[in-house]
Amino acid sequence: MTRDLHDTGTRLDEMSYRDADRERGVRSAFHLSYQQLDAEQARVLQLLPLNVGEEISTEAVAAMAKLDVRTARWRLQELQRAHLIRAGNTYGRNGRWRMHDLIRLYVSGLPPVQPRDVPVAILMLLGYYLDSTSAATRLLEPTATRPADSPFADRGQALEWLDAEYPNLTPYGYVLLVKPEFARTATADLFLKLWRYFELRRYTDDWIRFTTHALNIARTFSDRGREGDALTKLSGAFRQARRFDEAVDACRDAIAIQRELGDRLTEGVALNNLVAALLDANRDDEAIGPAGEAVAIFQETGDRHREGIAVAHLGSALTGTRQYAEGVAAYQKAAVIFREVGDQHGASRVLTNLGNALLHSGRELEEVIDLHRRSAASMAEAGDRHGQGVALVNLTASLIDAGNLDEAIAVACDAVTIMREANDPHTLGGVLVNLGTAFLDAARAGEAVEAFSDAVTAFHRSGDQDAEAGARISLGDALEEAGNREAAIAAFRATAEMCHETANRGREGQALRRLAHARWEAK
């Protein structure tokens, strides 16, 4: 019986029986309610299961059924009074509806009131989601201004809509719409437009999965423009997943396509992503050339905002190759551009990078600390919790260098909270290392052990074996400082073995040196 009830094809049949030549059961009860509906009510009810997600908005129903929103609302309220649907509960919003799974099964098995309605309704619903997603994601851009015809009042409302509708959008990555052809390319466009939302919410696995879906569609139709766009956006997903080699390869493929098509602007975008991937992979010397090319392209095309991004990337590449004066100059130029185009987020991020470059170029710590504080405050004002956390990580490191340990610990604890919320294990590991260092410097070795242990776990989750090895060595130092020398020896030995297996000779040497010292001290 359990097996049969799990089978959607027989579930309603199992929940019925015949008594004195009369069928009693769930299907019969639903049918009594259905028979009371007029033709338009029945048509709307039959269209609802075409939305794969659990809830659907009144506006989506209106688009699917080709009704105005007010009429659609009336029909849905009538279906609610007939107990065939009920109000949804996503984010406590009104105007959302859901259908019990048994009623969905019953309705899906009915002959359509108007058979030609179904394919048209599928396309109308997809078109509604594509248009609304375009309008919502447009407001997520750093320099976005609200168009007069936008259905969303501001960025916050656009994000709320995306959060609510996300379960209705992702099924299009699993359903293959064969005909008409534009329906398949529309699903590709849907996911290509979601890239900034994926990045913001850190839905990294979905970003990779659904952008790959878009890429496959583009290649199926030999659509080189969409293929290049998908590769560029896929590279961002690979970067967020710390799969840097794949990110670099995707960017280079995208650049080749854009050069083939002669599209200078999208070539510049792909170059910017390539530079970001090379910087993340610590290949700073390789990033200088492409960064300069990107700057030149955006100056040529007059795209000031993307020019600012390229100049900031160039600053990072120069700083990474110890050309600190040139890096500082690039960051300062990027900050001017970001302020000019109204990108508060970009300007805030540059402040953090500028602070790090100034520190290396010998500037006073107080000036650097002030820059990191301003960056964190600007990120918070812009509503970027992840960016705020990154700024706090850098602020913590500078406070430790300045000997302001109490403040460093407080700031690091705030950053830990933010990075746990953001589900960014790599940056979480970095701030936990800073927190452990602050605890050690403050002679609070027991708390340092806990922080470094958590850092090891975070880096292991992120897949960064080198950072994990560094955290393990710091954990051994903290254990030794706490008087637990046997545990420290075990930690150093395990780290050396791990590094030997992964051919990380530098970290293996560090661990062996610490191990030798701990054994000597134990004599």
Side-chain angles (χ1 to χ4, degrees):
M1 181 182 291
T2 301
R3 184 173 60 251
D4 291 339
L5 287 173
H6 275 293
D7 185 344
T8 57
T10 61
R11 187 180 301 165
L12 289 177
D13 295 330
E14 288 296 319
M15 301 176 73
S16 65
Y17 68 96
R18 298 189 65 82
D19 178 20
D21 296 326
R22 293 172 58 194
E23 183 178 333
R24 302 178 184 274
V26 172
R27 190 193 305 273
S28 301
F30 292 162
H31 196 60
L32 285 174
S33 295
Y34 180 73
Q35 286 179 318
Q36 307 305 311
L37 303 180
D38 63 29
E40 188 169 70
Q41 292 168 342
R43 185 175 77 92
V44 171
L45 181 68
Q46 288 189 0
L47 294 179
L48 293 179
L50 298 179
N51 185 74
V52 182
E54 290 187 0
E55 291 190 3
I56 188 169
S57 68
T58 303
E59 292 79 8
V61 174
M64 183 167 55
K66 295 198 289 186
L67 299 171
D68 62 79
V69 174
R70 184 173 62 174
T71 303
R73 185 182 301 112
W74 288 344
R75 298 295 87 83
L76 290 162
Q77 289 170 345
E78 290 159 2
L79 294 174
Q80 182 185 25
R81 286 194 291 271
H83 305 291
L84 290 166
I85 63 174
R86 63 182 188 271
N89 55 19
T90 299
Y91 299 98
R93 292 183 59 185
N94 296 323
R96 300 186 65 79
W97 310 90
R98 59 172 49 208
M99 178 183 288
H100 193 283
D101 62 340
L102 293 177
I103 297 179
R104 184 183 288 265
L105 274 177
Y106 167 76
V107 172
S108 298
L110 293 171
V113 174
Q114 299 180 24
R116 294 182 61 185
D117 246 11
V118 173
V120 173
I122 290 172
L123 295 179
M124 295 297 291
L125 183 61
L126 175 59
Y128 165 77
Y129 283 137
L130 179 58
D131 290 345
S132 299
T133 298
S134 299
T137 53
R138 190 177 299 122
L139 292 178
L140 302 186
E141 294 297 321
T143 59
T145 55
R146 180 184 177 275
D149 61 347
S150 176
F152 307 106
D154 53 29
R155 182 178 187 273
Q157 193 178 88
L159 267 176
E160 183 185 4
W161 185 88
L162 287 165
D163 288 337
E165 297 296 351
Y166 191 66
N168 291 325
L169 305 179
T170 51
Y172 288 102
Y174 302 101
V175 176
L176 185 64
L177 300 175
V178 178
K179 291 183 179 180
E181 179 179 315
F182 74 81
R184 294 182 70 182
T185 56
T187 63
D189 290 340
L190 177 69
F191 293 117
L192 293 178
K193 290 181 183 300
L194 280 170
W195 76 271
R196 192 173 289 280
Y197 177 74
F198 288 136
E199 179 185 53
L200 184 64
R201 290 293 187 244
R202 304 195 70 79
Y203 293 158
T204 310
D205 291 342
D206 281 1
W207 190 357
I208 294 172
R209 179 184 303 113
F210 296 124
T211 308
T212 301
H213 171 77
L215 176 62
N216 291 335
I217 290 174
R219 285 174 171 167
T220 297
F221 292 107
S222 301
D223 187 332
R224 296 290 275 170
R226 279 192 177 89
E227 182 182 359
D229 189 22
L231 284 165
T232 299
K233 287 165 179 170
L234 186 58
S235 72
F238 283 142
R239 279 179 53 224
Q240 192 157 287
R242 301 191 63 77
R243 292 160 59 175
F244 301 130
D245 290 343
E246 291 168 275
V248 169
D249 290 343
C251 285
R252 287 189 167 140
D253 289 344
I255 291 166
I257 290 172
Q258 305 306 352
R259 286 175 177 165
E260 170 194 320
L261 297 175
D263 190 331
R264 292 286 281 166
L265 182 61
T266 53
E267 179 189 345
V269 173
L271 279 165
N272 257 350
N273 277 27
L274 172 61
V275 174
L278 290 169
L279 291 172
D280 285 342
N282 296 318
R283 293 157 64 177
D284 302 318
D285 54 335
E286 296 177 54
I288 294 175
E293 291 180 60
V295 171
I297 287 175
F298 294 127
Q299 288 174 341
E300 171 193 323
T301 57
D303 191 325
R304 286 289 280 167
H305 182 238
R306 289 193 173 97
E307 180 189 349
I309 296 171
V311 171
H313 283 161
L314 180 59
S316 297
L318 291 167
T319 302
T321 53
R322 301 178 183 275
Q323 301 176 62
Y324 298 120
E326 294 85 349
V328 166
Y331 284 139
Q332 289 171 335
K333 180 180 178 182
V336 170
I337 295 174
F338 286 136
R339 285 194 291 269
E340 174 189 314
V341 300
D343 182 359
Q344 179 182 343
H345 178 272
S348 301
R349 192 172 293 279
V350 165
L351 283 178
T352 290
N353 293 338
L354 178 59
N356 292 334
L358 287 172
L359 184 62
H360 286 295
S361 61
R363 299 290 275 273
E364 292 294 328
L365 264 175
E366 284 306 316
E367 182 181 355
V368 174
I369 288 170
D370 179 63
L371 282 171
H372 290 319
R373 284 194 178 119
R374 285 163 52 196
S375 176
S378 296
M379 290 290 188
E381 185 180 341
D384 184 349
R385 289 281 283 170
H386 183 266
Q388 180 188 0
V390 171
L392 291 177
V393 173
N394 287 290
L395 176 57
T396 301
S398 296
L399 288 168
I400 291 171
D401 289 340
N404 300 341
L405 299 181
D406 289 341
E407 186 180 358
I409 289 168
V411 169
C413 288
D414 288 342
V416 166
T417 299
I418 290 172
M419 287 307 162
R420 290 194 195 280
E421 290 173 3
N423 191 28
D424 181 353
H426 191 266
T427 310
L428 173 62
V431 72
L432 284 165
V433 166
N434 285 353
L435 179 60
T437 302
F439 278 138
L440 265 186
D441 288 353
R444 295 162 62 175
E447 291 163 288
V449 167
E450 184 179 348
F452 287 129
S453 296
D454 290 345
V456 169
T457 302
F459 283 131
H460 185 75
R461 279 184 57 211
S462 77
D464 189 334
Q465 293 179 330
D466 181 69
E468 180 186 347
R472 286 179 178 276
I473 291 170
S474 296
L475 173 60
D477 290 339
L479 287 166
E480 194 168 13
E481 188 70 23
N484 195 344
R485 186 161 284 121
E486 289 303 316
I489 289 172
F492 292 136
R493 183 187 299 114
T495 304
E497 291 171 355
M498 181 189 85
C499 293
H500 183 76
E501 291 173 4
T502 58
N504 188 341
R505 298 289 282 168
R507 293 290 190 189
E508 182 183 1
Q510 292 176 17
L512 288 170
R513 182 162 56 85
R514 298 290 215 293
L515 176 59
H517 178 270
R519 282 177 168 169
W520 177 266
E521 291 294 321
K523 288 183 177 180

